[in-house]
Amino acid sequence: MSIASRRRTSTVITYVLLALLAVYTLFPFLWMVMSALKPANEIRARTPSFLIAAPTLDNFVRVLVQHDFLVYIRNSLVVSLAACALSLVISLLAGYVFSRNYRMKAVQTTNFAMLVSQMIPGVLLLVPLYITMRNLGLLDSYGALILAYTTFVIPLSTFMLSSAYDSIPTSLEEAAEIDGASRLRTLTSVVIPVMVPSIVSVGLYAFITAWNEFMFGYIFTSTDALRTITPAIMLFKGANTVDWGGLMAASVIAVLPVAIIFLFLQRYFISGLMSGAVKG
Amino acid sequence: MQSMRVGDVSRTRSNRRFTILALAPAWLFLAALIGYPLVSVLTDAFSHAHLVNGDVGGFAGLENFEKVVSDPHFGPAVRNTLVWTVGSVVGEFVIGLGAAVLLNVRVRGQGFFRVATFIPWLVPIVVAGMTWEWILNPDFGIFNSLLTQSGLVESPINFLGDKNWAMATVVFVNIWRTFPYYTISFLAAMQAIPNELYEAASLDGAGAWRRFWSVTMPQLRSVSLIIVFIHLIWTAVNFDFIWVMTQGGPNYATITLPILIYRYSLQQYDVGAASALSTLMLIATSLVFVVYYRYRRRLSEETVG
C-alpha cells in the first residue's frame, strides 16, 4: 500500500471509531429528548420507533404544571448559585495564599487537609452531617444544602484557583503595593480582575456540582416546597408504575441549563478542571 | 541595616496574619462539615446511638462492629463493592484512554467530538441512571427491542431486575457517565508531551502502536495514578448510582457498603452500626490513600530528580 492510501484508510478508521464513540455518548440524550416528545401511546409501544408520529409537548406541560417543576428549578437555582458564590469567595482567598505563600507551614497543612478531605466523601459522614443539620435546625432549608455543597467543592476549587494565580506575575501586585494598597485591596482590585476566565470555570464547576448533586438533596429535604430538581426526578419512580414520558421531560429540563452553560463556556471549563485535577 | 530588619520582621508578621485570615473561612467550613462529622463517626462507632431516640447512649465497645460484620449482607456487600469499584475503574480507564487517543488525532470536527464525549459527565447521576433504565426497560425499552428484532436474543433481558444482570448493568452505566473525566485528563496530559519525542521514535522506526506504548504511556503514568486512585475511592463510596437504579436489589444483588450504611442509619436509625460500618470503610479508603500518596511521592521524586 502506498503511504497516501494507508493514511486515507487510517483516517477512515478514525472517523468510524469517533462516530461510534459519539453514538455511545450521545444516544441516551437523543432517546431522552425523543421520549419526552412522544405521546403516551407511543411511549408504551411494544416496538419503540425512531420516528415520532405525533410529537407533543404534553409531557413538559404536565411536568411543569402538575408536578411543580418550576418550584424545584427555582430551589435548585437558589441553592446552586449561593453555593457557587460562597465557595468562590472562600477559595479565591485560600487559593491566593496557596499560590503565593506555598512555603508556609499553615498553607502546606491546609493543602494536605484539603487533599485528604477530598478523599472523605459524603456518604461516610452522612449520619453526623444529618444530625448536625438537625441540631442547627437547618434540615428542610436551603441552608443545609448550601453549606454542604460549598464545603465539598472547596478543595478542588482552591486547587484550581491556586494554579490560576500561579500564572499571574507577582510584579503586578508589587506595583500596587508600592502605591500603598493593602493586601486585600491589591487582591480584589488588581489580581482578581485578571483572573476572570479561571473564576468563570471554577464557578461553573461549583454550580454544576451543586445542581447535579443528589444524595444530600434527597436526605436533607423532605418538604416538597424546598425539594431540588435531582431528588424530584427520583419521585417519578413509583412503586409500580413509572410515568416515563414525564420522567424523560423532567430529565431534559434538569440537563438543559447545564448543557447550555457548558456549550458556551466549554473551553474555560475543561482547561480549568484539568489544572485543578492534575494538581490536586 | 537595623531598620530594614525591623521592616522585614513586621512584613513577615503581616504576611502571616494575612495568610491565616485568608485560610480561616476554608478552615471553618472544613472543620465544621468534614472534621467534626469525621470525629463523630469515629466516636459513635463505639457508642450506642439512635437517630430518633436520644435516650439510647453509652459506650458500646466493639458491639457495633460485631453486629455489622455478622450481618448476613455484610459479606455480599463487600464483594459487590469490590466488583462495582474494580469493574467501573477498569472500564473507565480503558474506554477513557481509547477515547483520548482517538480525540488526539487531528481530524476535522475534532471540537465537536470532544464536546460530545464530555457530555455524559455533566449529566446528573439521577438522569443518567433513569435514562439508561428507560433504554434498558424489558417492556418498552429501545435496547431490548433492538436486541430481539435483530435476533440476538429470543426474549427481552430484564437488565436491572434480573440478579444475574443487575451488577453488570449498573457498572456499565457508571462507566458511561464517568469515563469522560479520564478522557479529558489523558488528553490534557497527551498535549503536554513534546512532539520531538514522537519524531525521534518515528526516526528510530517505531510504528504507531510502538510509539503509543513507549512514548505516550510512560508520559501518562502520573496522571493515570491520580485518576485511578481518586476513582477507586470515589466509586467505592458512591451511593447515588446504585440507589437510583436498583436501591441495592433485586434481592440484594447490587447491595454495596454505602447502601448498607444508608439502611442502618436512615431506615433502622441505628447510628452506632452505621458509624461502625463507615469507620471500616474509612480505614479501607485511608489505606488506599496512603498507598497512593507514597506512589505519588516516589513518582514526583523520579520525575523531578
Side-chain angles (χ1 to χ4, degrees):
Chain A
M1 248 195 303
S2 72
I3 290 178
S5 76
R6 233 163 80 180
R7 186 163 290 167
R8 205 171 314 130
T9 351
S10 86
T11 313
V12 169
I13 293 173
T14 308
Y15 270 114
V16 170
L17 290 174
L18 280 172
L20 284 175
L21 182 67
V23 169
Y24 172 61
T25 55
L26 294 180
F27 181 76
F29 293 96
L30 186 72
W31 201 246
M32 182 171 93
V33 175
M34 285 180 69
S35 305
L37 294 170
K38 280 181 177 176
N41 63 324
E42 288 189 52
I43 283 270
R44 282 196 223 97
R46 271 279 159 188
T47 40
S49 161
F50 282 97
L51 298 167
I52 311 173
T56 168
L57 289 175
D58 281 358
N59 291 320
F60 288 96
V61 173
R62 191 169 65 255
V63 163
L64 289 174
V65 177
Q66 222 170 306
H67 292 286
D68 280 337
F69 257 66
L70 287 173
V71 176
Y72 307 142
I73 293 170
R74 189 199 60 204
N75 294 339
S76 274
L77 269 179
V78 170
V79 169
S80 309
L81 287 174
C84 171
L86 198 55
S87 53
L88 268 180
V89 171
I90 293 171
S91 40
L92 272 169
L93 283 168
Y96 178 72
V97 291
F98 264 44
S99 165
R100 296 297 188 252
N101 300 336
Y102 187 76
R103 282 176 196 290
M104 282 178 67
K105 193 93 190 142
V107 173
Q108 290 189 347
T109 316
T110 314
N111 192 5
F112 184 74
M114 282 193 183
L115 189 61
V116 173
S117 79
Q118 248 194 323
M119 302 290 163
I120 309 173
V123 71
L124 299 184
L125 307 177
L126 184 62
V127 189
L129 273 176
Y130 181 88
I131 295 172
T132 308
M133 294 301 177
R134 190 176 64 187
N135 293 345
L136 292 172
L138 289 173
L139 281 187
D140 270 319
S141 77
Y142 292 145
L145 297 180
I146 294 170
L147 291 180
Y149 296 166
T150 303
T151 310
F152 286 97
V153 301
I154 284 177
L156 193 56
S157 304
T158 305
F159 296 142
M160 282 161 83
L161 287 171
S162 123
S163 68
Y165 281 122
D166 283 344
S167 63
I168 293 171
T170 43
S171 54
L172 208 66
E173 290 151 70
E174 278 153 14
E177 215 176 321
I178 289 166
D179 288 346
S182 71
R183 287 293 292 273
L184 193 64
R185 183 70 208 282
T186 314
L187 184 60
T188 51
S189 58
V190 179
V191 186
I192 288 180
V194 195
M195 294 265 292
V196 169
S198 308
I199 293 175
V200 170
S201 87
V202 175
L204 268 178
Y205 157 74
F207 180 87
I208 291 176
T209 309
W211 181 272
N212 287 355
E213 203 281 336
F214 167 75
M215 187 181 69
F216 291 125
Y218 182 68
I219 290 161
F220 288 171
T221 50
S222 50
T223 321
D224 204 42
L226 292 167
R227 209 184 302 279
T228 51
I229 198 157
T230 45
I233 287 178
M234 185 73 173
L235 291 182
F236 274 97
K237 198 178 176 182
N240 301 310
T241 53
V242 181
D243 170 7
W244 285 110
L247 180 55
M248 290 299 107
S251 299
V252 172
I253 294 168
V255 171
L256 221 51
V258 174
I260 292 170
I261 298 174
F262 177 72
L263 282 181
F264 278 108
L265 301 167
Q266 43 114 351
R267 254 164 223 287
Y268 294 138
F269 186 64
I270 292 177
S271 65
L273 198 66
M274 273 324 302
S275 57
V278 172
K279 216 178 174 190
Chain B
M1 203 62 194
Q2 185 76 18
S3 72
M4 242 179 94
R5 208 183 293 153
V6 170
D8 276 357
V9 168
S10 81
R11 216 185 132 103
T12 0
R13 199 174 290 159
S14 93
N15 193 18
R16 217 186 142 66
R17 205 173 51 215
F18 180 79
T19 305
I20 301 296
L21 281 176
L23 291 178
W27 269 111
L28 200 66
F29 268 77
L30 295 175
L33 290 138
I34 293 182
Y36 168 73
L38 190 62
V39 174
S40 316
V41 163
L42 298 176
T43 52
D44 282 348
F46 298 93
S47 324
H48 293 291
H50 193 270
L51 190 64
V52 188
N53 185 353
D55 294 338
V56 178
F59 184 65
L62 291 174
E63 244 175 79
N64 289 323
F65 290 92
E66 279 162 24
K67 180 177 178 183
V68 166
V69 173
S70 59
D71 187 317
H73 297 309
F74 179 74
V78 170
R79 212 184 49 230
N80 283 340
T81 307
L82 286 174
V83 172
W84 154 256
T85 306
V86 175
S88 298
V89 170
V90 169
E92 286 155 9
F93 187 89
V94 172
I95 298 185
L97 182 61
V101 170
L102 272 178
L103 292 171
N104 203 31
V105 181
R106 269 175 207 281
V107 292
R108 234 170 256 237
Q110 196 185 42
F112 163 79
F113 287 113
R114 284 189 181 177
V115 171
T117 306
F118 197 62
I119 280 180
W121 197 70
L122 293 171
V123 183
I125 287 176
V126 191
V127 172
M130 293 296 210
T131 306
W132 276 105
E133 201 174 331
W134 169 229
I135 291 174
L136 298 170
N137 186 290
D139 299 320
F140 315 109
I142 178 73
F143 192 67
N144 267 308
S145 167
L146 292 175
L147 280 181
T148 45
Q149 271 173 36
S150 63
L152 282 173
V153 298
E154 273 172 30
S155 58
I157 299 167
N158 195 351
F159 285 101
L160 287 163
D162 181 332
K163 66 178 172 32
N164 298 316
W165 281 95
M167 184 49 94
T169 309
V170 285
V171 167
F172 168 83
V173 176
N174 187 24
I175 293 173
W176 176 82
R177 200 197 98 117
T178 315
F179 91 87
Y181 190 86
Y182 291 64
T183 302
I184 294 299
S185 309
F186 288 138
L187 260 181
M190 282 176 186
Q191 265 147 30
I193 302 175
N195 230 338
E196 293 87 68
L197 286 181
Y198 288 107
E199 283 161 14
S202 295
L203 283 179
D204 288 344
W209 190 246
R210 189 68 213 277
R211 284 201 298 272
F212 174 73
W213 283 110
S214 348
V215 181
T216 315
M217 280 313 275
Q219 300 280 329
L220 295 184
R221 227 165 30 139
S222 137
V223 69
S224 303
L225 184 79
I226 298 174
I227 2 182
V228 165
F229 273 94
I230 288 183
H231 279 87
L232 280 178
I233 296 178
W234 284 355
T235 314
V237 298
N238 181 284
F239 166 80
D240 310 27
F241 255 112
I242 293 176
W243 187 253
V244 163
M245 296 185 77
T246 65
Q247 307 208 344
N251 197 16
Y252 300 100
T254 56
I255 196 154
T256 55
L257 294 170
I259 303 280
L260 263 190
I261 293 175
Y262 178 84
R263 284 174 185 254
Y264 280 131
S265 55
L266 288 140
Q267 289 182 339
Q268 297 168 20
Y269 307 132
D270 189 341
V271 172
S275 303
L277 190 53
S278 299
T279 303
L280 291 178
M281 280 206 83
L282 273 170
I283 294 171
T285 52
S286 311
L287 286 177
V288 175
F289 179 74
V290 169
V291 173
Y292 157 71
Y293 201 70
R294 288 205 158 167
Y295 261 118
R296 205 175 78 142
R297 278 245 150 128
R298 203 187 302 162
L299 203 66
S300 55
E301 273 162 21
E302 266 174 40
T303 46
V304 174

